[in-house]
Amino acid sequence: MLQSKCAIIVGEITPDLKLIEYQLSNFGYEIILEAKSSCEVLMLCNRYNVDLIILSLAIQEMNAISILRQLSIIRYIGVIILITGSDENLAVNVERSGISWGLCMLGILTKSTLTVDIKKILQNISQKPYLKIVERKTCISVDELCYAIDNDFIIPWFQPKVSFKTGEWLGTEALARWYHTEKGFIAPSEFILLAEENGLINKLTVNMIYKVFKSAHTWMNSDLIDNLSINLSTQSLLIPGLLDLILSCCQQSRISPQRITFEITESGLIRDVEHSLEVLSNMRLHGFGLSIDDFGTGYSSIQQLTILPFTELKLDKYFISRLNQSVSCRAIVKYSINLAHQLGLKSVAEGVENEDTWRTLAEFGCDMCQGYFTGYPMPSHELGHWHKKWENKFCNLKNTKHLII
Ligand code: C2E
Ligand code: CA
Ligand code: CA
């Protein structure tokens, strides 16, 4: 296997694609390969350690989709960028297929803004240390996961949520982080699913809940922030005695249930609907907040809003990251924020990475922002330092004339 940075460009090599080739070499890609069919792509992926695939939709939608499917089957771990001539909606559909198959889709380039956007994306890849933590796939075994849970290798990191209106630090989401001594950081997207599929999710959830309360109790009692969010997959709702365990954690750390929100992600069909509904309703009755996570994707749908007693609607980063490029994503975001407000729920935008997106969401009246623009996930001891930096950043934002508050 060769170790240099490697990219494949898939499609007829037009002058535009030649320009991209040039940009790639500027960004340190030493091996730049060309392919025109899924067979060629697979053959190259087998031979080289491919970091990036640029896929032109000029090779027709079905071919692009079949290439993405094949890449997901071989568990391709690099990133993918799509290029489209004109039909952006079509490209959005192709991209969503890629995401649903677990591929790391980094964006869509349109012909008119090709050279500017490719630079931005390549810069992002090299500047974001967290991208690797979140997106890279590693081979891990069930035994390794079990060992990591038992020996405290999986710990909570925290990502702040702030008010679009006032900049205030309103809440913090706990996100699981596994640091593997040999393989580095392993993404939750990999081990949560592995835990769910192998009967380890209960153990992992209970372990995380204890650790989250332990880390959070100092700053939750410092009056700096109001709310702490914890992820719960629907499978975890069936853990015997879950609510009692959470209530005792609240009591021990002197945090009232009103200040805890559970973000519910439905990774599959709810197995015992009645029991799950009962647990969620009981949580609400005790005062816990309930957030519908990843709203608009997969199983997280409008129908659930009619059944479950949610207090918060969380827009998935898929829509947020495309807010200023895609007309349809913009419409979905605007509609979802209004829907949340009409139902009396708080709206949270996840995945806000830049000022443009911040401004658009502020204009749409979104309540809370969570994203790399306001703060990366971090170990709990870094939150104080982050807060000081954020206060300065918000002051600057407020003082520039475009901010709508
Ligand atoms: P999620 O609940 O939707 O969490 C938000 C994810 O978006 C996190 O990924 C976070 O790091 C990432 N993120 C936040 N801001 C940005 C941004 O501006 N740009 C981009 N590109 N990403 C951003 P993470 O930590 O990898 O977690 C992935 C998923 O794993 C979570 O998605 C959640 O569903 C699940 N998860 C994480 N921790 C736990 C846990 O303790 N329990 C359970 N059941 N699930 C968890
Ligand atoms: Ca979440
Ligand atoms: Ca999400």
Side-chain angles (χ1 to χ4, degrees), residues 173 175 231 263 265 293 314 350:
E173 178 179 5
L175 292 160
N231 287 287
E263 298 193 1
T265 334
D293 209 348
K314 208 161 173 192
E350 164 198 285

Side-chain angles (χ1 to χ4, degrees), residues 324-381:
N324 286 327
Q325 286 89 46
S326 155
V327 176
S328 38
C329 287
R330 199 179 166 87
I332 289 170
V333 169
K334 203 169 178 179
Y335 162 84
S336 306
I337 293 170
N338 286 337
L339 178 71
H341 291 165
Q342 279 174 26
L343 295 174
L345 315 182
K346 292 271 177 239
S347 51
V348 183
E350 164 198 285
V352 179
E353 293 194 358
N354 54 51
E355 194 176 326
D356 283 351
T357 311
W358 164 282
R359 289 187 190 287
T360 307
L361 289 159
E363 192 186 324
F364 286 176
C366 189
D367 298 302
M368 271 182 270
C369 175
Q370 181 181 348
Y372 298 166
F373 179 67
T374 41
Y376 283 101
M378 62 194 96
S380 69
H381 65 266

Side-chain angles (χ1 to χ4, degrees), residues 293-295 297 314-318 350:
D293 209 348
D294 299 343
F295 185 71
T297 66
K314 208 161 173 192
L315 280 151
D316 191 62
K317 58 179 178 287
Y318 176 84
E350 164 198 285

Side-chain angles (χ1 to χ4, degrees), residues 373-405:
F373 179 67
T374 41
Y376 283 101
M378 62 194 96
S380 69
H381 65 266
E382 288 179 16
L383 284 165
H385 177 62
W386 161 82
H387 187 229
K388 288 196 187 88
K389 273 185 23 197
W390 165 246
E391 281 183 319
N392 283 338
K393 187 166 173 176
F394 184 71
C395 254
N396 293 337
L397 266 175
K398 211 166 49 172
N399 291 336
T400 51
K401 60 180 178 193
H402 304 295
L403 188 68
I404 292 148
I405 55 172

Side-chain angles (χ1 to χ4, degrees), residues 30 40 59 83 85 96 123 138 169-170 206 213 238 241 281 290 297 378:
E30 286 166 29
E40 281 177 26
I59 60 159
I83 300 185
R96 290 194 71 167
Q123 245 155 16
T138 335
W169 181 13
L170 295 176
V206 170
F213 274 95
L238 303 179
S281 304
L290 293 181
T297 66
M378 62 194 96

